Amino acid sequence: MGALRQLLLQHRDYRLVLSAGLISLTGDWILRTGLAYQVFLITGSTLASGGMLLASFLPQVVLGSLAGALVDRWNRLRTMIAANVLLAAGLLPLLLVDGPGRIWIVYAVMFWEGTVQIFFEPAEKAMIPLLVDPRQLITANALNAQNADVARLIGGAAGGATAAWGGIGAITLLNVSTFALSAFLLTRVAPRAEKAAHTHAGPPATAAGVPRRAPTGPVRRLRSLCSAALGPTWQHRPLRVVLGFIVLTGVGQGIMSTLFAPFVVDVLHGSGTAYGTVVSAQAVGGIAGGLATAVIGSRFRAVRLWIFGALLTGVIDLVIFCYPLVLPDAGVGPAIVCVIVVGLPASLMFTGLMTVIQDATDNAVRGRVFGALGAAEAAAMLAGIAIGATCADALGIIALLTTQGVGLIAGGCLAMVFTRRAVQPAAAPPGRPTGVPAPRAVPDPTEPADRPA
């Protein structure tokens, strides 16, 4: 616990950013859970509820890469504050929803919220390495990874209870307060962190020693910005491996998000209460795994955490989805145990992967890398959702769900093969425990040619 305590005591700005992220994520879960319940209650249509989720998910696929590039050009801390303010203001039209005829407002609000959120997330992830010492980065990422599980546990319960008690109006006001509090905490971050967050790459790349001129015209600037958003992900070998891993495993995640509830109900013969218990156990396992990773993770190289976590998570997922074939009458008990146990390797995988990405990129392009990878993951998950929704009857629930475990094992093997050189001790300079080569600055072609280095 020494590394965890030292991190929290020494870095006030990190504590503020961590807390602000947790509160903002909790607001997201309150909104998604509460609105899903209310939309179904008002319309009686599962298609209407699915459309709401699609409206919030689509901006990540379409605009994720571009948002990451813009985050690198803006002050990241101010971007996070502005995002929270815009998220809060964008919720207010929900107060006008009073029947099925105004459900379209819910879709518009969810699209707006999803669009603004894609600016907050890459800015937050790119900020973390600026707030802690390099040797504390794994611990910091492990704590940050816990935010998702804690927010799901608190926000899911609060969203359902608030929806049942006060309807859409209560959900809106509670969610506005979470975003306002998150913005306030971020305003307390020291100015030096704000200054550090506002950095740019060096001068644009040159051809034959001639500086490249900045693009002119809105269309050319947009094309150049999109190129700058995707370029860094392809120019560094570890990031290409990360991209392949994310696409490979994202399809399985999409299938799982679609078929996990039918798996519990139809395959394990569990009730709605049993499904809620399994989901809660999953969150508890993630929280416990995150704490354990924060304590022990800094002793290992990030690449090894990523690979080991992916392989072990894949094996446990296969056990979860296949044990009904061997023990058809076992019920949900083994699934509850397994989703708690899988919390540790899943946390190791996520923390290691996050640290590899941060360490393999220069600060000036970190936001666009996270944006591009987030867009790729969202597209892969959408593909998985479509496969799960259309092929479950033909191929079977268990057969499709096993792709989650197989994808993680294959992704772990991919990372093991193509990052073998990166995990050699000689490749890591002193003080860099992550096991990847030193970051390289990737020039930003959208910057003016006469900008000083």
Side-chain angles (χ1 to χ4, degrees):
M1 297 292 289
L4 180 59
R5 183 169 55 252
Q6 184 181 30
L7 171 66
L8 294 176
L9 290 177
Q10 288 183 349
H11 300 286
R12 172 183 175 272
D13 291 334
Y14 171 74
R15 293 198 306 270
L16 290 170
V17 172
L18 182 70
S19 301
L22 173 61
I23 294 170
S24 183
L25 275 176
T26 301
D28 290 339
W29 276 100
I30 291 173
L31 184 68
R32 293 175 187 175
T33 306
L35 279 187
Y37 174 84
Q38 281 295 312
V39 168
F40 181 74
L41 192 65
I42 293 172
T43 65
S45 169
T46 56
L47 183 61
S49 297
M52 183 201 74
L53 296 176
L54 180 62
S56 66
F57 202 53
L58 190 60
Q60 178 70 63
V61 181
V62 179
L63 302 172
S65 296
L66 183 61
L70 291 172
V71 164
D72 284 333
R73 296 173 62 84
W74 299 338
N75 182 294
R76 291 177 188 147
L77 183 58
R78 292 175 183 170
T79 298
M80 295 166 66
I81 296 172
N84 274 312
V85 173
L86 293 174
L87 287 169
L91 293 171
L92 297 179
L94 290 176
L95 298 174
L96 302 176
V97 178
D98 56 3
R102 292 187 173 180
I103 287 298
W104 64 269
I105 296 177
V106 174
Y107 299 150
V109 167
M110 292 304 293
F111 184 84
W112 168 260
E113 297 291 298
T115 301
V116 176
Q117 190 66 36
I118 63 176
F119 291 90
F120 183 91
E121 292 181 2
E124 180 191 33
K125 293 175 180 176
M127 276 280 293
I128 291 176
L130 305 176
L131 303 175
V132 300
D133 297 331
R135 292 186 178 276
Q136 296 174 315
L137 186 56
I138 289 178
T139 304
N141 283 329
L143 282 181
N144 196 61
Q146 276 197 106
N147 277 356
D149 291 301
V150 175
R152 177 172 55 181
L153 194 62
I154 298 174
T162 305
W165 169 70
I168 290 181
I171 295 169
T172 301
L173 295 178
L174 178 59
N175 209 16
V176 166
S177 67
T178 62
F179 290 131
L181 179 57
S182 177
F184 171 75
L185 290 176
L186 290 172
T187 62
R188 309 304 297 170
V189 175
R192 63 179 180 276
E194 184 176 346
K195 183 178 180 180
H198 192 205
T199 58
H200 294 277
T206 60
V210 180
R212 184 165 54 199
R213 293 184 177 180
T216 58
V219 175
R220 290 184 178 180
R221 276 192 168 276
L222 179 61
R223 185 185 306 167
S224 181
L225 189 60
C226 292
S227 175
L230 298 174
T233 308
W234 295 102
Q235 295 174 8
H236 200 7
R237 183 177 182 180
L239 294 181
R240 293 197 297 271
V241 178
V242 167
L243 179 63
F245 177 88
I246 286 176
V247 171
L248 189 61
T249 58
V251 174
Q253 291 179 41
I255 292 174
M256 182 177 174
S257 67
T258 305
L259 298 181
F260 192 64
F263 170 76
V264 173
V265 175
D266 294 340
V267 178
L268 301 183
H269 310 293
S271 62
T273 302
Y275 173 70
T277 302
V278 174
V279 172
S280 298
Q282 187 177 24
V284 170
I287 294 170
L291 283 174
T293 302
V295 173
I296 67 173
S298 59
R299 304 175 187 176
F300 305 95
R301 294 179 179 273
V303 172
R304 290 172 179 168
L305 293 179
W306 168 28
I307 294 172
F308 175 78
L311 294 175
L312 188 55
T313 300
V315 170
I316 297 177
D317 279 353
L318 288 179
V319 171
I320 294 173
F321 300 132
C322 295
Y323 83 81
L325 299 176
V326 181
L327 303 170
D329 299 323
V332 299
I336 293 174
V337 173
C338 287
V339 296
I340 293 175
V341 173
V342 80
L344 176 59
S347 179
L348 294 175
M349 174 185 68
F350 182 86
T351 301
L353 179 60
M354 185 68 57
T355 309
V356 166
I357 297 170
Q358 292 166 337
D359 196 61
T361 54
D362 185 80
N363 174 51
V365 297
R366 199 170 283 138
R368 70 196 66 185
V369 168
F370 278 114
L373 294 175
E377 182 181 26
M381 289 184 65
L382 277 181
I385 290 171
I387 293 171
T390 58
C391 301
D393 292 336
L395 300 179
I397 293 175
I398 293 179
L400 282 176
L401 284 174
T402 55
T403 58
Q404 166 78 349
V406 172
L408 285 166
I409 294 173
C413 292
L414 174 74
M416 185 184 301
V417 170
F418 288 100
T419 61
R420 183 172 298 175
R421 292 181 180 179
V423 301
Q424 296 298 325
R432 301 188 63 85
T434 57
V436 296
R440 299 183 302 175
V442 182
D444 185 350
T446 65
E447 290 296 315
D450 58 353
R451 188 180 188 92

